[in-house]
Amino acid sequence: MTQPALDFVIAALERIREKDSRAPRASRTALALLQAAPVAASLREACRSPTERRLEAPDKADSLAAVRERVGACTKCAHLACSRTQTVFGVGNPDADLMFIGEAPGADEDREGEPFVGRAGQLLTRILKAMNFAREDVYIANILKCRPDMPAGSFGNRPPTPTEMQTCRPYLMEQIEIIQPSVLVALGAAAVEGLLGTRGTMRELRGRWHTYNGIPLMITYHPAYLLRNQAPSEKRKVWEDMLQVMERLERPISERQRNYFL
């Protein structure tokens, strides 16, 4: 049976199911033909009710949990698997309209197993609050799920290598595919490189819309940058980027918010 003919039969069966309480009838010969794969599978799918389809659809939280389990057991970057305390998968609302992406866990995140819980994370939480979001409303993840290894006795964090980002990127792609946010925000140049595979200065990238697989993407400075650079002009740039995000999400913006400085 050709695809157009199959589509016609499926549409006819759906109309019968909607308008008539009696089940459709067919000859034994027709049934034998319709039971041939892949026709049978297509017809079975068409005859299921919307409720049955919803019940069988994988839950976003369950899908994320399955990816999290694979991430937790990942040893693709052997040096990171040996040095990490635990993997840092992501946190937030699986149905979030807004998703933030950073570069990699730091020492605090490695210890607690949650992204953006250190000083930079506290600043991100304040930014979200100014946008009238709670952390529970959005989803937060990183390009890398492991903290980049550091020499013994050293402090701070090193940026992820291109190879590390390329290796870990498929996990983030799965997260985005499951969550399907309306807007993505990339925090910092490393996050942009890990997400888009391109390099550029933040001066060139931030403040305007990009796209990732059809999803609007706003690029802005990482909160850690604002902790290092306390200039009001730099803080205002980030807030102007967030105002654009709010507008894209059709969130109400008060006059106080428009004039706000971080």
Side-chain angles (χ1 to χ4, degrees):
M1 182 180 290
T2 64
Q3 188 62 44
L6 177 59
D7 293 341
F8 177 81
V9 172
I10 290 172
L13 289 172
E14 288 180 338
R15 286 195 297 271
I16 293 172
R17 184 185 61 196
E18 292 171 359
K19 298 180 179 180
D20 198 330
S21 60
R22 295 176 300 173
R25 296 182 179 183
S27 69
R28 292 181 180 180
T29 302
L31 287 174
L33 291 172
L34 292 173
Q35 285 171 352
V39 174
S42 300
L43 290 175
R44 284 194 297 271
E45 173 67 19
C47 291
R48 289 190 300 137
S49 69
T51 301
E52 289 173 327
R53 295 177 190 178
R54 284 195 297 271
L55 289 174
E56 293 181 14
D59 181 81
K60 285 187 177 183
D62 291 342
S63 298
L64 286 171
V67 182
R68 179 193 291 269
E69 186 174 349
R70 286 191 283 112
V71 166
C74 182
T75 57
K76 293 177 182 178
C77 300
H79 59 296
L80 300 187
C82 290
S83 64
R84 73 192 182 206
T85 301
Q86 59 189 313
T87 55
V88 181
F89 181 68
V91 66
N93 181 3
D95 293 308
D97 288 325
L98 178 58
M99 182 173 178
F100 287 84
I101 300 169
E103 60 179 62
D108 294 321
E109 291 76 16
D110 177 70
R111 182 174 57 253
E112 298 189 27
E114 182 175 323
F116 285 90
V117 294
R119 292 181 62 219
Q122 293 166 14
L123 178 53
L124 177 59
T125 300
R126 293 202 297 273
I127 293 172
L128 289 172
K129 184 177 180 180
M131 298 171 71
N132 289 331
F133 281 107
R135 279 178 69 101
E136 296 77 18
D137 297 329
V138 304
Y139 197 90
I140 305 172
N142 284 313
I143 300 293
L144 256 62
K145 310 308 184 191
C146 298
R147 184 192 182 197
D149 55 340
M150 299 289 290
S154 62
F155 297 94
N157 305 297
R158 70 163 175 83
T161 68
T163 299
E164 289 168 345
M165 290 191 287
Q166 184 178 4
T167 302
C168 207
R169 185 171 179 263
Y171 294 130
L172 177 64
M173 294 173 65
E174 286 190 78
Q175 288 174 292
I176 296 172
E177 178 65 26
I178 293 168
I179 295 166
Q180 298 181 13
S182 300
V183 171
L184 289 166
V185 176
L187 300 169
V192 175
E193 182 180 353
L195 191 62
L196 301 180
T198 59
R199 291 191 179 190
T201 66
M202 291 302 295
R203 187 180 299 106
E204 298 169 332
L205 296 170
R206 64 147 292 272
R208 59 187 178 86
W209 288 104
H210 306 256
T211 59
Y212 170 82
N213 284 357
I215 302 174
L217 169 66
M218 176 58 65
I219 296 170
T220 195
Y221 290 111
H222 194 286
Y225 169 80
L226 297 182
L227 295 176
R228 297 191 302 269
N229 190 334
Q230 297 285 329
S233 60
E234 300 304 285
K235 295 181 178 180
R236 179 61 191 180
K237 289 176 184 176
V238 173
W239 184 243
E240 288 174 350
D241 297 340
M242 295 304 98
L243 288 175
Q244 289 196 62
V245 170
M246 294 172 67
E247 288 174 350
R248 179 60 67 98
L249 291 172
E250 299 183 348
R251 304 273 295 193
I253 302 175
S254 67
E255 198 62 31
R256 180 182 178 185
Q257 286 174 312
R258 291 196 180 279
N259 298 322
Y260 184 74
F261 277 78
L262 297 176

